[in-house]
Amino acid sequence: NAGLDLDSGDHRVISSMVLEAADLDTAPDQTESSWNELSAGQNFTQEQVEQNRLWYHHRASNTGFRGHDGFRFILSDVDSESLTQSFLISIRTVDRG
């Protein structure tokens, strides 16, 4: 996975170009394609990634934030489950003054 770079307080699509993972034994038409705001422990589908429906929004509490965020995920269906994978998000400081 390529990860994602963005400015503090910004938002960006997590596309299939940067999040590379696939469930090869499930056809795309067996997934959901709605918009969802995700938090820890919730799910998203391969189709949501491929249709650019997965976004990351950095909700900065102050304008000097800099650091990293990310999430860990597992690909799963009724038949199989992958090992845990990681996606890193690098957040740059932006002086908007």
Side-chain angles (χ1 to χ4, degrees):
N1 291 310
L4 193 65
D5 293 322
L6 74 153
D7 295 335
S8 178
D10 219 354
H11 63 280
R12 182 91 26 95
V13 170
I14 300 175
S15 71
S16 59
M17 297 297 290
V18 296
L19 178 61
E20 295 184 35
D23 181 359
L24 300 177
D25 65 352
T26 301
D29 64 351
Q30 294 178 357
T31 61
E32 298 177 22
S33 61
S34 60
W35 285 94
N36 293 316
E37 184 169 336
L38 301 174
S39 58
Q42 291 186 297
N43 300 320
F44 60 90
T45 66
Q46 180 67 34
E47 186 176 18
Q48 288 171 314
V49 174
E50 290 170 1
Q51 293 181 352
N52 294 329
R53 293 177 178 260
L54 184 63
W55 287 71
Y56 175 83
H57 184 184
H58 180 252
R59 300 180 193 275
S61 57
N62 58 22
T63 56
F65 180 85
R66 184 174 111 204
H68 293 53
D69 198 356
F71 57 90
R72 295 167 55 96
F73 63 97
I74 297 170
L75 297 175
S76 65
D77 58 25
V78 244
D79 299 321
S80 59
E81 188 172 282
S82 74
L83 297 174
T84 301
Q85 300 180 48
S86 297
F87 187 83
L88 180 64
I89 301 166
S90 179
I91 302 164
R92 298 179 294 254
T93 300
V94 175
D95 184 13
R96 298 185 181 188

